[in-house]
């Protein structure tokens, strides 16, 4: 890519990547890193080693026939690994796995080109392969474009444009050996060198900021989501309930609330352990979700107690939904590592009233649920119309 008179730029890239590796070492130091972030960190180390080899070869510290092909091969592999880590972060494991054979094939193609022509064809192959892998990295960042944040979108566009600049020099060498108008090979060499430097910065700091952004989003999500059952927690439930409480003061279709509590759930935790209890909670949440419409909401309040918010549903219809859930829970044992566990649940059903507060609404549904337990458990009870 670069002639040996640009050793300074290669050295800057080498030192820059080494500095970024040092920065990554202290990023979330001591915390468990995600597989994608760990792979990305490894890719930066490989790229740093590649640029160091290229710098040493350009300065004649190491023999060129050894340092240059090894450095370029490592750089191509490192960029491919970086693209793979971004595909992994985008939850596209098939594309991540494809990066390994693609990287091996690309390195072999480069080495063949190097043996044929260690200057012209080498530059052509290296630039095109690097540009291609950077475009794959940009494509990974462009996944789920509508849900992506502004930072992720900017990174995807910037990396794609810079990758095209890198690949453009290789294409110009192939199709226009004498350059094109004012765009000389020397100018394009300087532009591609700058593009590689910017790719290093954008790929490093951008991805670190993106990892931090995703971590903060996950922490915010956990404030309102129960991570065991993967449904909203108590706080998330009250956030969902608020607009329906306001609508209950206006004429219109009713909104129902169902509270269910797993019968003998403490016995499961005590007898089989909390991991088995977690399996039961996930199993019950999945069974309940199958009975719900898209507009319905399921949340876990505490322990084995769940709440169901059923918009535009009366008490009779809500009791029928609860009955289907009750039957599904009763007839579907839970398979855990230690045993098959049969569960039942008791349900309390009510509708939101115009003068309800959160506390009164939950109290009324809870009293109906406790009445179901007192009547023998494993049944559905509706709250009394004139109850609290």
């Amino acid at each position: 890519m670069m002639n040996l008179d640009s050793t300074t730029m290669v050295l800057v890239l080498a030192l820059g990547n080494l500095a970024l590796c040092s920065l990554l070492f202290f990023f979330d130091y001591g915390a468990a890193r995600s597989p994608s972030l760990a792979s990305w960190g490894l890719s930066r180390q490989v790229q740093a080693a590649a640029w160091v080899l290229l710098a040493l070869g350009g300065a004649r510290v190491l023999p060129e026939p050894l340092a240059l092909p090894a450095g370029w091969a490592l750089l191509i592999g490192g960029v491919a690994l970086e693209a793979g880590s971004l595909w992994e972060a985008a939850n596209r494991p098939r594309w991540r796995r494809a990066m390994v054979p693609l990287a091996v094939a690309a390195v072999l193609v480069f080495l063949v080109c190097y043996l044929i022509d260690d200057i012209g064809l080498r530059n052509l192959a290296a630039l095109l392969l690097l540009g291609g892998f950077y475009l794959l990295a940009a494509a990974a960042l462009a996944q789920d474009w509508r849900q992506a944040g502004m930072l992720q979108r900017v990174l995807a566009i910037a990396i794609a444009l810079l990758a095209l600049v890198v690949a453009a020099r290789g294409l110009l060498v192939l199709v226009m050996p004498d350059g094109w108008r004012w765009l000389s090979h020397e100018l394009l060499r300087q532009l591609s060198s700058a593009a590689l430097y910017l790719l290093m910065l954008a790929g490093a700091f951008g991805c670190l900021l993106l990892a931090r952004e995703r971590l903060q989003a996950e922490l915010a999500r956990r404030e309102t989501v129960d991570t065991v059952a993967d449904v909203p927690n108590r706080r998330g439930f009250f956030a969902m309930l608020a607009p329906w409480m306001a609508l209950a003061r206006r004429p219109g279709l009713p909104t129902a609330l169902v509270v269910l509590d797993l019968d003998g759930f403490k016995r499961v935790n005590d007898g089989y352990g909390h991991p088995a209890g977690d399996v039961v909670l996930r199993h019950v949440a999945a069974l309940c979700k199958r009975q719900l419409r898209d507009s319905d909401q399921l949340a876990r309040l505490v322990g084995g107690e769940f709440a169901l918010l059923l918009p535009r549903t009366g008490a009779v219809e809500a009791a029928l939904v609860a009955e289907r859930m009750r039957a599904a829970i009763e007839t579907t044992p839970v398979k855990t590592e230690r045993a098959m566990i049969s569960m039942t649940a008791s349900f309390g059903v009510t509708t939101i009233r115009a003068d309800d507060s959160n506390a009164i609404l939950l109290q009324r549904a809870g009293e109906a649920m406790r009445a179901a337990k007192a009547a023998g458990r494993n049944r559905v009870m509706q709250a009394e119309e004139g109850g609290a």
Side-chain angles (χ1 to χ4, degrees):
M1 182 207 65
M2 299 183 210
N3 298 326
L4 295 183
D5 57 0
S6 59
T7 303
T8 301
M9 178 57 74
V10 178
L11 183 61
V12 167
L13 286 165
L15 294 176
N17 275 278
L18 288 173
L20 290 172
C21 289
S22 301
L23 177 65
L24 180 62
F25 177 80
F26 293 103
F27 180 79
D28 286 345
Y29 178 77
R33 291 175 180 164
S34 65
S36 60
L37 186 58
S39 298
W40 182 82
L42 178 61
S43 75
R44 305 310 307 186
Q45 295 173 25
V46 172
Q47 291 177 59
W51 285 114
V52 169
L53 278 176
L54 292 173
L56 294 177
R60 306 297 199 278
V61 176
L62 291 178
E64 288 185 27
L66 173 65
L68 295 186
W72 284 117
L74 274 179
L75 185 59
I76 293 169
V79 175
L81 183 59
E82 181 178 353
S85 69
L86 293 176
W87 280 106
E88 185 171 16
N91 294 318
R92 299 294 194 279
R94 186 166 62 179
W95 276 94
R96 175 188 60 79
R97 291 191 294 268
M99 288 301 112
V100 175
L102 281 176
V104 173
V107 170
L108 291 177
V109 168
F110 168 77
L111 293 177
V112 170
C113 293
Y114 183 88
L115 292 175
I116 296 174
D117 180 2
D118 63 353
I119 298 180
L121 197 56
R122 176 199 76 192
N123 291 341
L124 170 65
L127 290 166
L128 290 179
L129 291 170
L130 286 175
F133 281 120
Y134 275 122
L135 283 174
L136 286 173
L141 288 170
Q143 297 300 302
D144 299 323
W145 183 264
R146 292 184 178 180
Q147 288 75 36
M150 183 59 66
L151 174 61
Q152 184 173 336
R153 295 183 182 186
V154 171
L155 278 177
I157 294 172
I159 291 176
L161 293 176
L162 293 171
L164 291 174
V165 172
V166 172
R169 188 182 172 216
L171 289 173
L172 191 63
V173 170
L174 178 65
V175 300
M176 296 182 180
D178 299 325
W180 181 69
R181 295 184 181 180
W182 55 269
L183 192 59
S184 65
H185 285 294
E186 176 59 25
L187 176 59
L188 199 54
R189 181 189 68 80
Q190 294 176 2
L191 289 175
S192 63
S193 298
L196 283 170
Y197 183 75
L198 292 175
L199 281 167
M200 176 190 69
L201 294 179
F205 290 107
C207 288
L208 286 176
L209 290 173
L210 191 59
R212 177 67 69 180
E213 183 182 88
R214 288 171 175 168
L215 177 61
Q216 290 174 342
E218 176 63 18
L219 291 175
R221 187 186 75 89
R222 292 189 178 189
E223 290 183 357
T224 58
V225 173
D226 182 85
T227 56
V228 174
D230 194 26
V231 296
N233 58 18
R234 192 178 185 89
R235 176 182 291 185
F237 168 73
F238 283 120
M240 295 185 303
L241 180 62
W244 296 104
M245 294 289 288
L247 287 175
R249 296 179 175 87
R250 305 176 185 177
L253 295 175
T255 294
L257 174 69
V258 179
V259 172
L260 73 94
D261 187 62
L262 297 178
D263 300 324
F265 181 67
K266 185 176 184 300
R267 169 182 56 82
V268 175
N269 282 331
D270 293 343
Y272 299 99
H274 287 280
D278 292 346
V279 174
V280 169
L281 291 172
R282 286 190 290 269
H283 175 82
V284 169
L287 287 178
C288 292
K289 287 178 181 178
R290 294 174 193 167
Q291 309 296 330
L292 299 179
R293 304 164 298 181
D294 292 339
S295 59
D296 300 333
Q297 298 288 344
L298 172 69
R300 181 186 173 201
L301 299 180
V302 63
E305 187 174 319
F306 291 82
L308 302 164
L309 186 63
L310 307 176
R312 297 178 295 278
T313 305
V316 175
E317 294 83 0
L320 293 175
V321 174
E323 179 59 31
R324 291 200 302 268
M325 292 182 179
R326 186 205 63 76
I329 294 171
E330 181 185 23
T331 58
T332 311
V334 186
K335 183 179 180 181
T336 68
E337 292 184 357
R338 298 181 60 182
M340 292 288 291
I341 303 175
S342 296
M343 296 296 302
T344 61
S346 301
F347 293 76
V349 179
T350 189
T351 54
I352 302 177
R353 301 171 186 172
D355 57 347
D356 274 343
S357 65
N358 291 345
I360 292 174
L361 176 66
L362 282 177
Q363 178 184 351
R364 188 167 62 248
E367 287 176 351
M369 179 267 293
R370 287 187 287 275
K373 286 186 176 291
R377 301 183 178 183
N378 188 27
R379 62 191 63 212
V380 177
M381 296 286 285
Q382 293 190 40
E384 297 180 4
E385 289 295 326

